Structure formats: structure tokens, C-alpha cells
Amino acid sequence: MKKSTVLLGLLAAVSVVLVSCGTEKPAKESTKDKKEEKNLSLSVGTMPAVDSLPVYIADKKGFFKEEGLDLDLQSFKSPKDRDAALSSGNLDGANTDLIALSTYLQGGMDVKVVSQSIGNFSILTGNDEIKNLADLEGKKVGHLKNQAPYYFLNEALKKENIDPSKVGYEEVPQIPVRIELVKNQKLDATVVPEPFRTIGLSSGLKELGNSSEMGIHATVFGFTAESLKDNKEAVEAFYRGYNKGVDYINEHKLDDYYDVLKEKIGFTDEIKDQVKLPEYTHAKQIEEEQLTNAFNWSEEQGIYKKEFKASDILSPLLKD
């Protein structure tokens, strides 16, 4: 009887321990599940440009969802509409450029550059007499004043030791109109992004230089200081999804995502064989020198009139 009593006591004690252990594990899983179910949301504005291709890919393939991010992706046709949405608080961030950023800061907005985006501007000509950038002296170039492509053109000329003031300029806002004017030799050259670069080349224009090859970078992803402070996890999830989009582009053939280029950016089947996309890399911060050069130019143009420190504008998020 005594042995039975002791045995029953031991069994009861073991049962208590097992029950205790059994209930502890689900409790931990419940906490983990709760963390995974945390709702992350972010609104980001893009333009129909190759800069945003990794974002479009990541959105279509569900990479943001995989990172627990509910992304409100808003595509704009006009930079003015994008900028208005950002300034009104309808966007947490946007794919923009350093010249536009200088206007945000001049207007009192607190927007930080988190990463460089892979944008590309190209200088095209239809004039057979123009062989290189130096030949643009005394010629007329179509542009949109105080915008990133105009900044790139000025920087490209200076890199070739050409005085930008010796080049004639004509402001033509609509890119397709500029392309036609160059084709008809009403203008000697113009600056365009993709897909207009490929469209122009396919119609017989030639390229004098492009921003990627010349190492002039002006396009970025910027986020409001408020979103970086209060919604940091969502911004980090955005970049994890973005990097997955970059990996997808680099690991797949053009055929696998050309539908996205057509739908989101405006590429056509007719130019598919001539498409040359920039080399996409994982998100990284833009070099301080690029920002300083752009803001100095913005000051020269009378766009930005404040003092600035690059360290106050460049977010350290990707270095965390």
C-alpha cells in the first residue's frame, strides 16, 4: 500500500510537470503569432519610370505581403501630382529626385533620402553633325527647366568641360513632343528617361550619353521624417520587398516581367528587342557627393535658398 501510494504520488507530480510544460509552449507560439500578425502599412508614390520597376515587380509577386506589409502603391503620371500627394500627407514616401527634394525642403517639408533609385536619363540627338556632347555648343536642346533631367544635362556638359551657358535651350514640357522635334531637327537634342530613350533610339536617334554610364545619380526614394520615426518597421519591410524585386529582375529573363514594363511604365512590343535596362542592385543610400552636387545646383538656379547639411537629409535607415 505504501509503495502504491508513493507511486501514485510520483505519477501525479509528473503529470503536473507535463501539463505545465504543455501549456508553456503554446503560450510562446501565441506571442510569436501575435508578433507576426502585427499590421504594417505604408503608402508610396511612384512614377512610370524604370526607377520603380523593382517596386512594381515586388507588388505584383506579393513580396511586400510576404514581409507583412500592406502597401498602398500609388502611381502618378505627373511629378506635380506626386509632390502634391506627398505634401498633403497622402503619401509616406515616394520615388522622386534630388531637385524635387530640394523644393520639398525649401517649402518646409521634412523628407529624408533613404536610398538611391536606379533611374536613367539619356541625351538624344537626330543631328548627324553632332557626334558628342562637345558638339552641342551653339546648338539648341529641348528640356524642362528646373527638373532633374535639366540638372543631369548641366552636369554632363560640365563633366566634358563644356560651359552649359554656351548651349541653347528651349523649354518643351511634353517628352513625346521633344522627341518629335528632335526627329524633325527642330531641336538638336533633348534629355529623356526610359521608355522614351528606347523609343527615340528605335526611331533613328542616337545617344550622346546617359546618367548611368556617366555616374550622375539624381533619383531617390524619400520618406517623411514622421514615417521613419513612427513607422520604421513598415519602411524596413518595404526595402526587404524591394530587394526581392531586384533579385527577381536579375534572376529572370525580360520575357518574365515585360508585361509589367508595358502596364506600369509604357513600354511597347515594338521596342522590346531594343530595351536595355539599368543594372539593379539592392537598396543603398545615395552618395553624399551626389546630394551635395544636386543641392548646389539647385541653389544656383534659385530653387533652394537655405543652408543644408547632407547628414541632416540622408537617412541612416539602411545602415541600421
Side-chain angles (χ1 to χ4, degrees), residues 107-138:
M109 293 174 60
D110 195 356
V111 179
K112 308 291 186 186
V113 176
V114 178
S115 71
Q116 172 184 312
S117 65
I118 314 299
N120 190 35
F121 297 115
S122 177
I123 304 170
L124 301 181
T125 183
N127 187 337
D128 291 336
E129 296 179 357
I130 299 175
K131 307 297 184 182
N132 51 52
L133 290 176
D135 293 334
L136 289 177
E137 286 194 17

Side-chain angles (χ1 to χ4, degrees), residues 1-20:
M1 287 293 292
K2 287 183 180 181
K3 288 183 180 180
S4 298
T5 302
V6 171
L7 182 59
L8 288 172
L10 288 173
L11 288 173
V14 170
S15 298
V16 170
V17 172
L18 289 175
V19 169
S20 176

Side-chain angles (χ1 to χ4, degrees), residues 295-314:
F295 270 65
N296 286 340
W297 183 86
S298 185
E299 284 184 324
E300 292 172 6
Q301 302 300 311
I303 301 170
Y304 188 74
K305 304 174 183 178
K306 302 178 180 180
E307 293 186 4
F308 75 92
K309 287 176 58 179
S311 58
D312 292 336
I313 301 171
L314 301 176

Side-chain angles (χ1 to χ4, degrees), residues 192-211:
V192 297
E194 287 287 12
F196 298 101
R197 170 190 175 274
T198 303
I199 291 172
L201 293 177
S202 68
S203 64
L205 301 184
K206 61 184 178 183
E207 185 176 61
L208 298 175
N210 68 68
S211 57

Side-chain angles (χ1 to χ4, degrees), residues 132-178:
N132 51 52
L133 290 176
D135 293 334
L136 289 177
E137 286 194 17
K139 300 296 192 296
K140 190 181 293 184
V141 180
H143 71 99
L144 183 58
K145 193 174 181 180
N146 293 343
Q147 301 288 330
Y150 184 39
Y151 161 70
F152 158 65
L153 176 61
N154 276 251
E155 290 297 295
L157 292 172
K158 287 189 286 186
K159 270 183 173 287
E160 298 298 317
N161 297 315
I162 304 166
D163 184 351
S165 67
K166 293 184 179 180
V167 176
Y169 299 98
E170 184 170 324
E171 188 165 3
V172 183
Q174 295 82 12
I175 297 177
V177 175
R178 296 207 301 266

